[in-house]
Amino acid sequence: MGVLRNNRPLFLFLIKFAGSYLLLSVLYWAYLSRYDAEAFEPDGMTTLVAEQASAFVNLIGEESHIKKHPGQAAWMFYVNDKRVARIVEGCNAVSVIALFAAFIIAFSTTFRRTSLYILMGIALLHILNIIRVGLLGVGLYYYKEKGPLLHDIIFPLFIYGVVVVLWVAWVMKLSVIKVKNVNALLGAFGLFVLLVLVRFYEETLFYDPLLPFFKREGKELPDYDSLKLFLGLAFRYGLNTLLSLGVIWLAFKDKAIIRLAAILYGVLFAVLCTVLFIGLNAEKPNLLLIFYVRRFLIQPLLLLLLLPAFFYQKRMK
């Protein structure tokens, strides 16, 4: 009870964030259920992004058009009459927008101010996502050999970077904490680079048959070794956790915060792994649920939440 009492602002933030994100995710899944994936029907938001990204590419001087994919709930994206990419549900940035909105709700102030900031952020993220998808298509047309770097690293960093900037801008309205240690800042940057490298070399470092499966938007789960998959996920999660704890240490130099963060990482791993393997072994696996649960296991998203949360808690104390 002492831990809960001493870290009340942090746990209130995490509860509000988790509740908001869960509610938004359920609403999004309900929205997606209106579309017939078995008949390869793309959802309306994905269609809107595909159309607007194509229009953006035409606006910057390249020729672009889209065609409905004959065997997937996706759009085929063409640049100068060459098919360069598929635009699928994951490209519409709704899940990223939900992440952004849940964070702002967790740090909410007045209803009017919070609502306006969320609406502004949604509009900005949507516009930048259209630009991101369009530029990615052009990049794949001219630099096809750089496809993995563009698709898996640079452009995801772009959209998540914008989210972090919006989060920081919101939190800084509530905080007067300033960076005083340049060496710590440089060290944290170095650890962030290592986190990016973990993502870049994921196919080499980790056993994970779900990586190529989700990239090609398969319909049936691939064969996999449960123990090797668990160990691969644990290894990747452990690497991300160690690097993330290093960033948190450089930011706060507080052993109590590190201990609490380590406990949260451990609890989250146990919960996510349980949900993931229950989902994988279900009679009819929910691929969307598996995809998003796995995302929290393989990406250092918790770090993005904990940094501003601990800043907020220190300010409240």
Side-chain angles (χ1 to χ4, degrees), residues 194-195 197-199 201-208 226-244 265 269 273 277 297-300:
L194 291 177
L195 286 169
L197 291 176
V198 170
R199 170 70 183 268
Y201 290 105
E202 59 186 1
E203 294 185 5
T204 303
L205 293 171
F206 314 108
Y207 172 84
D208 189 354
S226 295
L227 178 59
K228 288 177 67 177
L229 178 60
F230 172 77
L231 292 175
L233 290 172
F235 179 38
R236 181 167 187 174
Y237 189 88
L239 278 179
N240 283 335
T241 297
L242 288 174
L243 294 171
S244 298
Y265 271 102
F269 178 73
C273 267
F277 280 94
L297 276 169
I298 67 173
Q299 297 180 9

Side-chain angles (χ1 to χ4, degrees), residues 136 140 144-156 196 200:
L136 177 58
L140 292 173
K144 184 179 179 180
E145 71 282 1
K146 302 293 185 182
L149 177 64
L150 294 172
H151 182 272
D152 297 340
I153 303 295
I154 294 178
F155 283 96
V196 171
F200 187 72

Side-chain angles (χ1 to χ4, degrees), residues 32 35-43 46-47 67-76 87 216-220:
L32 291 177
Y35 297 89
D36 190 353
E38 298 297 325
F40 312 124
E41 181 186 12
D43 67 273
T46 301
T47 299
K67 290 182 181 178
K68 191 174 179 181
H69 199 291
Q72 295 178 1
W75 293 93
M76 298 183 293
I87 298 182
R216 68 172 185 270
E217 288 287 308
K219 292 296 180 184
E220 298 292 332

Side-chain angles (χ1 to χ4, degrees), residues 74-93:
W75 293 93
M76 298 183 293
F77 195 75
Y78 290 81
V79 174
N80 297 328
D81 290 322
K82 180 181 178 181
R83 178 184 164 182
V84 295
R86 291 175 303 120
I87 298 182
V88 298
E89 178 271 328
C91 301
N92 64 27

